[in-house]
Amino acid sequence: MRNNQPVTQNEYRFPEHQRLISSTDKRGHIQYVNEAFIEVSGFTRDELIGQPHNIVRHPDMPPAVYQNMWQTISKGKPWMGLVKNRRKNGDFYWVSAYVTPIFEGNAICGYESVRVLPTEAQKQRADTVYKRLRNGHAPFSALQFAQYYAKQLMPIWLPALLGMLAVFFIAGWPAALTLLITALV
């Protein structure tokens, strides 16, 4: 994996209205960049065209993110995610990237990416997940998974729990136990 150095701890923030656009060939070599991409990356158009897109890769980005992106887009599907990029001078900038395959007929001939400014909360979440990945951990802890699924399943388990409590207080524990066993079978 390309490890662009040096890096600074200075974040470059671009205006919310800007859209950073680039397109690449099938191998990921840059074919087109808009003016906003040039400005934010700090490279000139001549330095970018023909280069692998990872010229802006920041070393803090875990390889797994790019593996997931390439697996997705090489199947002809769009990919979306947060990416921390490196400017030419070593500063960094965050983008919310939407990458789509470009087709000629039924064959992928390249890729296009449109990037926008993510929110501070999105950057913080991504930074936390990417640190976990770089340290060899799963993207989320077991507790975070449990909290997520508890929240997702709340519309199911909360009414069931309240119903069980109602049966218990109205008809007693044998009826509540019978209801529970019936529900599990």
Side-chain angles (χ1 to χ4, degrees), residues 10 33 40 46 57 65 71 96 101 106 113 124 126 129 131 150 171:
N10 302 322
V33 289
V40 173
D46 289 340
R57 179 174 288 173
V65 174
Q71 284 175 344
S96 177
N106 292 330
S113 181
Q124 290 293 328
V129 169
K131 281 179 185 170

Side-chain angles (χ1 to χ4, degrees), residues 56-132:
V56 294
R57 179 174 288 173
H58 195 283
D60 284 355
M61 285 298 296
V65 174
Y66 295 108
Q67 290 168 353
N68 176 265
M69 181 195 71
W70 279 105
Q71 284 175 344
T72 303
I73 63 177
S74 64
K75 292 177 184 173
K77 298 177 182 178
W79 180 88
M80 188 171 188
L82 263 69
V83 178
K84 182 179 184 179
N85 283 330
R86 179 191 172 275
R87 301 186 78 223
K88 182 180 177 180
N89 69 356
D91 293 351
F92 68 92
Y93 60 99
W94 282 96
V95 295
S96 177
Y98 185 69
V99 185
T100 57
I102 301 170
F103 290 91
E104 279 185 11
N106 292 330
I108 296 172
C109 64
Y111 303 97
E112 181 175 79
S113 181
V114 177
R115 298 164 203 83
V116 297
L117 184 68
T119 66
E120 290 301 316
Q122 289 172 319
K123 292 190 283 188
Q124 290 293 328
R125 262 193 318 272
D127 194 43
T128 300
V129 169
Y130 294 167
K131 281 179 185 170
R132 288 185 57 81

Side-chain angles (χ1 to χ4, degrees), residues 15-184:
E16 188 176 324
H17 70 275
Q18 279 189 321
R19 303 294 180 258
L20 285 55
I21 301 171
S22 64
S23 61
T24 68
D25 62 16
K26 193 173 178 178
R27 296 179 312 144
H29 288 84
I30 299 171
Q31 303 295 301
Y32 168 81
V33 289
N34 71 348
E35 290 301 319
F37 186 98
I38 293 166
E39 178 186 330
V40 173
S41 74
F43 290 92
T44 67
R45 183 180 310 279
D46 289 340
E47 290 173 314
L48 292 167
I49 300 299
Q51 292 298 312
H53 207 288
N54 65 12
I55 192 171
V56 294
R57 179 174 288 173
H58 195 283
D60 284 355
M61 285 298 296
V65 174
Y66 295 108
Q67 290 168 353
N68 176 265
M69 181 195 71
W70 279 105
Q71 284 175 344
T72 303
I73 63 177
S74 64
K75 292 177 184 173
K77 298 177 182 178
W79 180 88
M80 188 171 188
L82 263 69
V83 178
K84 182 179 184 179
N85 283 330
R86 179 191 172 275
R87 301 186 78 223
K88 182 180 177 180
N89 69 356
D91 293 351
F92 68 92
Y93 60 99
W94 282 96
V95 295
S96 177
Y98 185 69
V99 185
T100 57
I102 301 170
F103 290 91
E104 279 185 11
N106 292 330
I108 296 172
C109 64
Y111 303 97
E112 181 175 79
S113 181
V114 177
R115 298 164 203 83
V116 297
L117 184 68
T119 66
E120 290 301 316
Q122 289 172 319
K123 292 190 283 188
Q124 290 293 328
R125 262 193 318 272
D127 194 43
T128 300
V129 169
Y130 294 167
K131 281 179 185 170
R132 288 185 57 81
L133 289 171
R134 284 193 312 274
N135 291 328
H137 297 88
F140 304 100
S141 69
L143 177 60
Q144 288 170 316
F145 274 117
Q147 289 172 334
Y148 173 79
Y149 284 109
K151 187 184 239 183
Q152 295 301 310
L153 296 173
M154 189 179 296
I156 297 169
W157 67 261
L158 186 59
L161 179 62
L162 293 174
M164 291 293 294
L165 287 173
V167 169
F168 173 77
F169 286 113
I170 293 170
W173 70 267
L177 185 60
T178 303
L179 181 63
L180 177 63
I181 291 170
T182 305
L184 294 175

